[in-house]
Structure formats: C-alpha cells, structure tokens
C-alpha cells in the first residue's frame, strides 16, 4: 500500500512514518519548512505548506497514495488547522485516496461532565478547538468517505526509545528541573494515549474500510498533574517538585474535564489503546 503521511516531520508523524516503513508500505511524507528531516531511501519527502491552495493537490497527485493520513499541526493558525485539511481532503477525494484526518479532544468544552463518544457534537472553547472543529466539518463535507480520528494528549518514551519525547513530557522535565514556570493542573482531565498505540491505530484505520468519526484516546482518564507524576516516576525525576494548580483559577483558556469514550472505535481495532498507568509503568 502506498501511504502519504502529512506532517511526517512532527512527533506523531515521525512515528507514523516509522511504522509505515516497518510494515513494508511504500511511504511518502511531508514537511512544512526547512529541509527534509531524513535521507532514507525508504521515505519520499515532499515540501507541503497547507496554506498553499494548489500544493496539496500537486503532492497527492504526484504520490497517488492508496491512503493519506493527516497528522499535521498548525495550532490556532486557522489557515493551517481549519482550511488546510479541507484542501487536503479535496485533493485526496479527487485522487480516489482514503483519508484519515487526525483531530483533537479540544473540540469539546467539558461542560457535559460526561465522557464524549463519537456522536457528541463539538462545542469548542478555544481558537485551536474551533479550528479543529471546522476542519472536521469541512473534511467530511468534501470527502464523505474520510475517517476523522479525535485523540488526546500524546505521550512518548521520554528521553529514550524510538518514539522520543512529546511536548507534554518536555514540560514535566522542565518543571521538575526548575527551568520552567507554571503548574500542572489537577482539575484538567484527559485520556492520554501513547504515540505508538495511536500511530498503529491510525494506520489500521487507513488500511481498512472504516469511515466517519472515531475516538482514539487512551483507556484511562487522569489529570495533567497525575500524568506528570507518572512521567516523572518513569524518568527518574523528583515528582514532588512538580507544581500543582487549578485551571479554573487560572487565566489560561480551555476545557477542564474532557474524557474521550473510545470504546466503540476500540471494538473494531486490533490495536489496543492502553491507559497511562500501563504505558508509563516501568518496563512497559
């Protein structure tokens, strides 16, 4: 199978590329700026700025992939995060390619107080969440057969291992070292997922015939501080140095308790989405 990984130079994208190559897929990947991140002949790298109206169409036409996985990240930049995926979806549909678009639990406000399953409508609180929600609608409109896969905090293997270190892990390391100010909120709850589990699930969705909305959160809900303590323990850091706080008392916008209910998606996958206590325990 020929795969195109959009955002292949990012944290999740790099793991998708690694697993795709290991599985024997003909793999192409994109990067937004600078030079290609790798020189291995197993991966064909293409420059792609999702703000360029014609570039997505050109790259998809050149690669002619069986499936496209969009793991790009543009933060709150509307042109990249909201409009770019729609351009990509239009290009994939024109080429007859499957599309798996990675979305986020940031599309939810947490106001319901209940776990969010795939049927729940978005009600974002932040510009990033609004851009992600807009992309979901646009992608499904122009490519009705696409998969939209919402996920949560993505965690890696710290300072070692092929999956590297995520932004969340860097924050924990810097807070523990005293090189960063801030706090890990005790009232901010998510369902963290390991990057290797997430990438495997996305590739499984890309190679199958699934369509529509899917949730790919980890099997366990915990606060950012609880997650930080687990990361610190795994990496041999002093977790008592991690400052705590309440998002509700801060000026930082965002949802509080957003738990993705991924059970319906999990039933259709052979990939197991582990909980944080499992993948962050010693020897996991």
């Amino acid at each position: 199978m020929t795969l195109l990984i959009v955002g292949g130079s990012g944290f999740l994208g790099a793991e998708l590329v690694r697993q795709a190559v290991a599985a024997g897929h003909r793999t192409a990947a994109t990067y937004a700026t600078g030079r290609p991140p790798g020189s291995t002949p197993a991966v064909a790298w293409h420059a792609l700025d999702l703000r360029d109206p014609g570039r997505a169409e050109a790259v998809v036409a050149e690669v002619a992939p069986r499936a496209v996985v969009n793991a790009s990240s543009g933060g709150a930049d509307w042109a990249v995060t909201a409009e770019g995926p729609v351009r990509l979806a239009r290009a994939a549909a024109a080429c007859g390619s499957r599309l798996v678009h990675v979305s986020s639990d940031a599309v939810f406000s947490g106001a319901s107080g209940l776990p969010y399953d795939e049927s729940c409508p978005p009600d974002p609180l932040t510009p990033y969440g609004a851009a992600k929600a807009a992309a979901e609608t646009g992608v499904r409109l122009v490519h009705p057969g696409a998969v939209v896969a919402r996920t949560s905090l993505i965690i890696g293997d710290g300072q070692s291992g092929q999956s590297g270190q995520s932004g969340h892990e860097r924050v924990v390391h810097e807070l523990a070292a005293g090189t960063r100010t801030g706090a890990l909120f005790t009232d901010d709850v998510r369902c963290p997922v390991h990057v290797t589990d997430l990438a495997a699930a996305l590739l499984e969705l890309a190679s199958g015939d699934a369509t529509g909305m899917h949730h790919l959160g980890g099997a366990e809900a915990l606060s950012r501080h609880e997650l930080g303590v687990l990361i610190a323990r795994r990496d041999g850091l002093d977790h008592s140095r991690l400052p705590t706080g309440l998002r509700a008392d801060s000026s930082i916008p965002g949802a509080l308790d957003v738990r993705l209910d991924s059970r319906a998606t999990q039933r259709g996958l052979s990939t197991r989405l582990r909980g944080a206590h499992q993948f962050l325990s010693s020897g996991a």
Side-chain angles (χ1 to χ4, degrees):
M1 179 170 69
T2 301
L3 280 171
L4 173 61
I5 311 298
V6 176
S9 59
F11 179 63
L12 172 59
E15 179 62 18
L16 283 163
V17 168
R18 185 190 71 80
Q19 291 193 25
V21 170
H25 298 305
R26 179 173 173 263
T27 305
T30 75
Y31 61 99
T33 60
R35 296 182 177 181
S39 58
T40 172
V43 182
W45 287 97
H46 300 262
L48 174 60
D49 184 339
L50 285 174
R51 295 169 296 185
D52 184 335
R55 183 59 182 158
E57 182 178 350
V59 171
V60 172
E62 181 179 350
V63 176
R66 167 72 176 81
V68 179
V69 181
N70 179 24
S72 63
S73 176
D77 186 328
W78 190 268
V80 177
T81 302
E83 298 173 359
V86 180
R87 296 189 184 99
L88 182 64
R90 187 180 294 114
C95 193
S97 304
R98 284 183 53 75
L99 174 66
V100 177
H101 170 70
V102 180
S103 189
S104 168
D105 58 10
V107 303
F108 297 122
S109 71
S112 74
L114 299 171
Y116 288 88
D117 66 21
E118 289 85 348
S119 68
C120 295
D123 60 341
L125 294 177
T126 64
Y128 170 69
K132 280 293 195 180
E136 290 184 358
T137 300
V139 164
R140 297 181 73 182
L141 178 65
V142 303
H143 195 324
V147 168
V148 173
R150 295 177 180 137
T151 191
S152 190
L153 304 181
I154 307 173
I155 306 301
D157 287 331
Q159 294 181 334
S160 63
Q162 294 205 30
S163 65
Q165 187 181 59
S166 69
H168 308 293
E169 291 162 288
R170 285 194 296 274
V171 168
V172 171
H173 278 246
E174 291 166 4
L175 287 172
T179 60
R180 181 188 186 100
T181 60
L184 295 176
F185 296 130
T186 58
D187 60 345
D188 185 331
V189 177
R190 299 293 187 273
C191 293
V193 63
H194 197 277
V195 67
T196 58
D197 297 348
L198 178 57
L202 290 168
L203 292 176
E204 190 174 341
L205 288 170
S207 63
D209 57 5
T211 63
M213 192 67 66
H214 295 267
H215 282 184
L216 297 176
E220 179 182 13
L222 66 170
S223 73
R224 289 183 187 261
H225 180 259
E226 290 171 321
L227 175 63
V229 169
L230 291 178
I231 291 170
R233 286 174 174 167
R234 180 200 63 186
D235 296 343
L237 307 175
D238 183 357
H239 65 82
S240 69
R241 293 177 56 87
L242 300 175
T244 63
L246 295 173
R247 181 185 280 274
D249 293 341
S250 77
S251 60
I252 300 174
L256 297 180
D257 193 333
V258 180
R259 308 176 189 223
L260 289 185
D261 183 345
S262 304
R263 291 175 296 177
T265 296
Q266 179 68 90
R267 284 193 290 269
L269 294 174
S270 61
T271 301
R272 185 181 176 198
L273 301 169
R274 296 170 292 169
H277 273 90
Q278 183 176 9
F279 64 70
L280 287 171
S281 64
S282 178

